[in-house]
Amino acid sequence: MQARRRLPVKLIQYDDSSDPSKATALAEQLILQDKVHILIVPPGPPVVSIPVNQVAERYKVPCLSDGFLESWWGAGPYKYCWTGSLPWFVTPIPENDFRAGKRGYSALFNFLDFTDLFRDQLSKKIALFATNDADGRTFYELASKIAQDAGYTVIGVEKSLGLYAPGTVDFTSIIREWKKGEADVLWGMSIGVDFATMWRQAASLGWKPKMAMDGRALKNYDDVAAIGGDLATGLADPFQAWHPSLPYKSFYGGRTCADLADEWTRETGKAWTEMLTTYSWAETACRAIEIAGSLDPEKINQAFPNIDFMSISGRVKIIPEYHSTPSLFHVIQWVKTDKPWVWEAEIVWCADPSIKPTHDIIFPLP
């Protein structure tokens, strides 16, 4: 975009209620009626994001989407769909990229590396808990392999113990097998309400692992608060991409992470949320238009492989062969505070020393 030319940015937002059919219809509405130049699909279940991606491909409109690389990329091929800050499970980052070989960019190795910090204090027996959907099945398969290769035992892996149908309300038989198998670590990729149900039942059955991590269910305050009592203390999300303490600034205007969190709280009265990482997705969309120097969808799409800038979520550099930009992830644990929202996510560990902890690791779980 030429320096003398300025374009107003209009954000049109719809709520798909996590309904795939509604999401598909709204994506078509955005393209055909609202005439958008780019679609942005924020973090959510693949059953919603993938159909929207298919709409974008059909109408040849650039789209920034969400998902885990292995399951998202496997639903392609894609020409017009790209990702914001997509978690890569285990796929190696190409050698010519600045992130190559660095463990903090691999979501599943964050599970393993954080667990390994306390390896000598564990039974080395792991319980896996995941939804029976595209992301959950991919997680279960890859996590079990990584854990076993590292010398851990996955309880009930031969019968996919812990792979459950979303909306399940009784997890007692699964929990009893975890307890009988002496699992003292939980790795999960579940849904917030389901995790809360399982965790409350685990407490009532007397199963309390020393460490519990979930990469999807423990991202949002409301899901954590709904667990009840003090049961959420120390629960961990092993791949969070954003936190108010991170040392980044927005590309447009220089807003800091702390500034963004404060603005969110002032305007909503609520605690900050990791979903604020999608601010960088809007920055990425604007960068694509700037690089393209045009509002033509084809030119915008051709600009994505050239994106490389510092955003409020860190460096965004698209890897063209995967249409993706892996993020640097840190591990958070939930702790109680004296603030109005009671619970807050604190950084306790990151493979990259540039990301500083904001709280000591809570181990074992109280």
Side-chain angles (χ1 to χ4, degrees):
M1 188 182 300
Q2 296 177 355
R4 65 177 180 273
R5 186 183 180 201
R6 297 176 65 86
L7 292 174
V9 176
K10 182 179 181 182
L11 179 65
I12 302 174
Q13 180 174 287
Y14 294 123
D15 182 359
D16 60 27
S17 303
S18 296
D19 181 331
S21 298
K22 186 176 180 181
T24 299
L26 289 173
E28 291 185 335
Q29 179 177 327
L30 284 164
I31 293 169
L32 299 177
Q33 297 181 28
D34 297 318
K35 306 295 183 182
V36 298
H37 299 96
I38 296 180
L39 285 174
I40 299 179
V41 187
V47 70
V48 172
S49 59
I50 289 175
V52 174
N53 295 164
Q54 293 168 343
V55 171
E57 292 290 326
R58 185 184 319 132
Y59 290 103
K60 301 181 179 180
V61 172
C63 176
L64 269 174
S65 189
D66 174 63
F68 298 100
L69 178 69
E70 287 78 2
S71 52
W72 178 79
W73 191 244
Y78 300 114
K79 179 180 179 182
Y80 295 91
C81 291
W82 308 82
T83 70
S85 52
L86 187 79
W88 289 38
F89 274 153
V90 295
T91 301
I93 294 174
E95 291 184 2
N96 61 347
D97 189 89
F98 75 95
R99 295 158 287 204
K102 297 179 180 179
R103 293 286 276 258
Y105 293 93
S106 173
L108 272 182
F109 282 113
N110 259 18
F111 278 90
L112 178 62
D113 293 345
F114 190 66
T115 302
D116 273 347
L117 294 177
F118 303 95
R119 187 182 185 98
D120 293 341
Q121 301 175 58
L122 298 168
S123 69
K124 301 182 180 63
K125 296 178 181 179
I126 293 176
L128 292 183
F129 184 61
T131 49
N132 193 2
D133 60 18
D135 284 350
R137 288 189 296 272
T138 301
F139 167 81
Y140 197 100
E141 177 184 351
L142 296 176
S144 60
K145 184 178 187 306
I146 284 176
Q148 290 171 318
D149 287 349
Y152 291 91
T153 298
V154 178
I155 302 300
V157 66
E158 69 283 351
K159 57 181 179 181
S160 300
L161 180 69
L163 193 65
Y164 74 93
T168 297
V169 296
D170 186 357
F171 296 101
T172 54
S173 62
I174 295 174
I175 295 166
R176 285 194 176 106
E177 290 199 52
W178 288 338
K179 184 178 180 181
K180 182 179 179 181
E182 299 181 342
D184 58 1
V185 175
L186 174 68
W187 290 4
M189 187 63 58
S190 64
I191 295 172
V193 64
D194 299 335
F195 183 95
T197 299
M198 179 277 294
W199 197 241
R200 288 192 293 267
Q201 290 174 5
S204 69
L205 292 170
W207 181 64
K208 185 173 71 172
K210 295 179 179 179
M211 176 185 294
M213 293 180 279
D214 195 295
R216 185 161 64 181
L218 301 175
K219 290 191 176 297
N220 299 314
Y221 174 85
D222 289 341
D223 289 331
V224 172
I227 294 173
D230 293 330
L231 290 176
T233 300
L235 295 179
D237 179 350
F239 49 93
Q240 285 234 348
W242 193 86
H243 190 274
S245 70
L246 295 182
Y248 309 130
K249 294 183 179 181
S250 61
F251 186 81
Y252 299 100
R255 181 184 276 108
T256 67
C257 292
D259 290 338
L260 183 59
D262 289 344
E263 289 178 42
W264 170 267
T265 298
R266 282 199 304 271
E267 292 181 17
T268 67
K270 297 180 180 180
W272 65 269
T273 165
E274 200 239 3
M275 287 287 284
L276 290 174
T277 190
T278 53
Y279 186 100
S280 67
W281 296 22
E283 293 184 289
T284 302
C286 291
R287 285 296 293 140
I289 293 173
E290 280 191 305
I291 293 169
S294 169
L295 292 176
D296 177 77
E298 291 294 335
K299 291 183 178 179
I300 294 173
N301 196 59
Q302 292 166 11
F304 274 96
N306 300 313
I307 287 177
D308 185 357
F309 73 103
M310 285 301 298
S311 78
I312 203 165
S313 297
R315 186 175 175 184
V316 175
K317 186 179 189 297
I318 297 288
I319 297 177
E321 53 263 52
Y322 289 107
H323 284 217
S324 177
T325 176
S327 290
L328 175 61
F329 293 107
H330 52 263
V331 179
I332 63 94
Q333 286 184 294
W334 288 92
V335 301
K336 270 197 165 181
T337 75
D338 56 2
K339 299 176 182 178
W341 42 82
V342 183
W343 292 98
E344 198 154 73
E346 298 282 3
I347 298 176
V348 295
W349 183 83
C350 182
D352 189 315
S354 70
I355 305 303
K356 306 300 182 183
T358 60
H359 197 280
D360 293 335
I361 296 173
I362 300 172
F363 180 89
L365 292 180

